[in-house]
């Protein structure tokens, strides 16, 4: 594969970065990313990936655009109210970069649909807003050997980590199982500042770009990055693979059953 003169011009400001270069750009062009959730995290993540020239983007979301989404879900506008989020998002992404192939799945990612949807992709961005989906993305990512970026946001805080199945700690190594319903508030109950979704979603896109560019050693693996916008502090917490992890531990290996509803 070769870059056309138009592509070289469009991506010139990142091609000139030595860590990326023309080779990294070609690898991005061949990359396939699945974005789970076209919401607060998925919108900025998909937007920057499309801008950067990712080859294929899959968008999974069963929701329609609501007025209360617009404060943070920056691919959707007032004119899109009532539309399927995946269709609204696809239109904006292709307006930005017609070269990107955008596939839409207006369904909820669940145990029946997950494997088939995830299979054709190289990297997953978890932009979901609930624990069941976060554990499902983890378990399917581990089972199929697909690297993924986990992120969570609430109020003025965010957290993010990348997992390379078989090589690094997974989300379940760190968080074990979903908390009892109602114990931890989600964005709908507790609120979220839109700009924080933008910060964390942008980091997710950065991780995917680094993955395709061959910067695997510098990914946010075995580390959980936390962001507190109130104090404007980023912290990195070292995390470890759990040998007894139900998704990626010794006993789970090779015979993993999706355990996300545990
Ligand atoms: Zn694990």
């Amino acid at each position: 594969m070769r870059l056309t003169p138009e592509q070289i011009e469009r991506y010139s400001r990142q091609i000139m970065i030595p860590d990326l270069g023309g080779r990294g750009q070609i690898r991005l062009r061949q990359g396939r990313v699945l974005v789970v959730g076209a919401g607060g995290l998925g919108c900025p993540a998909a937007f920057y990936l499309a801008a950067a020239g990712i080859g294929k983007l899959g968008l999974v979301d069963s929701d329609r655009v609501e007025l209360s989404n617009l404060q943070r879900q920056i691919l959707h506008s007032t004119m899109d109210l009532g539309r399927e989020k995946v269709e609204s998002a696809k239109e904006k992404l292709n307006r930005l970069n017609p070269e990107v192939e955008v596939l839409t799945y207006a369904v909820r990612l669940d145990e029946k649909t997950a494997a088939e949807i995830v299979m054709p992709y190289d990297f997953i961005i978890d932009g979901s807003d609930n624990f069941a989906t976060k554990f499902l993305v983890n378990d399917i990512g581990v089972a199929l050997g697909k690297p993924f970026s986990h992120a969570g946001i609430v109020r003025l805080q965010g957290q993010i980590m990348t997992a390379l199945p078989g090589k690094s700690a997974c989300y379940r190594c760190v968080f074990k199982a979903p908390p009892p319903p109602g114990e931890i508030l989600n964005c709908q109950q507790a609120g979220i500042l839109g700009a924080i979704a933008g910060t964390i979603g942008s980091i997710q896109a950065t991780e995917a770009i680094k993955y395709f560019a061959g910067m695997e050693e510098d990914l946010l693996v075995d580390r959980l990055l936390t962001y507190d916008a109130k104090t404007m502090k980023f912290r990195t917490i070292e995390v470890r693979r759990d040998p007894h992890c139900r998704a990626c531990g010794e006993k789970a290996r090779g015979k993993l059953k999706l355990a996300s509803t545990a």
Side-chain angles (χ1 to χ4, degrees), residues 27-46:
R27 290 174 64 171
L28 261 183
R29 190 81 196 93
Q30 293 165 335
R32 302 164 298 183
V33 176
L34 184 70
V35 178
V36 179
L41 293 165
C43 284

Side-chain angles (χ1 to χ4, degrees), residues 34 56 58 60 103 105 107-121 124 136 140-141 144 146 258:
L34 184 70
K56 188 189 269 193
V60 191
L103 283 93
Y105 309 86
V107 296
R108 196 176 166 79
L109 199 75
D110 60 25
E111 294 191 7
K112 284 189 197 125
T113 58
E116 201 185 332
I117 292 174
V118 166
M119 192 63 93
Y121 294 90
I124 313 168
L136 176 64
I140 199 79
L144 300 179
K146 305 283 184 185
L258 291 177

Side-chain angles (χ1 to χ4, degrees), residues 114-177:
E116 201 185 332
I117 292 174
V118 166
M119 192 63 93
Y121 294 90
D122 308 308
F123 192 99
I124 313 168
I125 286 187
D126 176 18
S128 69
D129 61 357
N130 64 85
F131 288 104
T133 308
K134 290 187 188 305
F135 278 91
L136 176 64
V137 168
N138 180 77
D139 294 347
I140 199 79
V142 169
L144 300 179
K146 305 283 184 185
F148 62 92
S149 164
H150 151 79
I153 45 172
V154 69
R155 290 190 176 153
L156 294 168
Q157 297 177 327
Q159 67 176 35
I160 174 165
M161 65 178 267
T162 301
L164 297 174
K167 295 181 185 170
S168 76
C170 79
Y171 178 66
R172 199 179 274 281
C173 286
V174 182
F175 295 99
K176 314 299 177 199

Side-chain angles (χ1 to χ4, degrees), residues 29 43 64 72 99 110 171 181-182 225 227 229 255 257:
R29 190 81 196 93
C43 284
R64 290 176 181 273
R72 65 196 179 285
E99 280 188 347
D110 60 25
Y171 178 66
L225 180 70
Y227 170 41
K255 52 171 183 174
K257 282 184 239 156

Side-chain angles (χ1 to χ4, degrees), residues 64-70 76-84 88 92:
R64 290 176 181 273
V65 180
E66 295 176 18
L67 190 57
S68 63
N69 299 150
L70 302 183
H76 315 304
S77 65
T78 309
M79 284 190 306
D80 298 312
L81 291 174
R83 284 180 80 190
E84 280 181 352
S88 161
K92 314 312 180 331

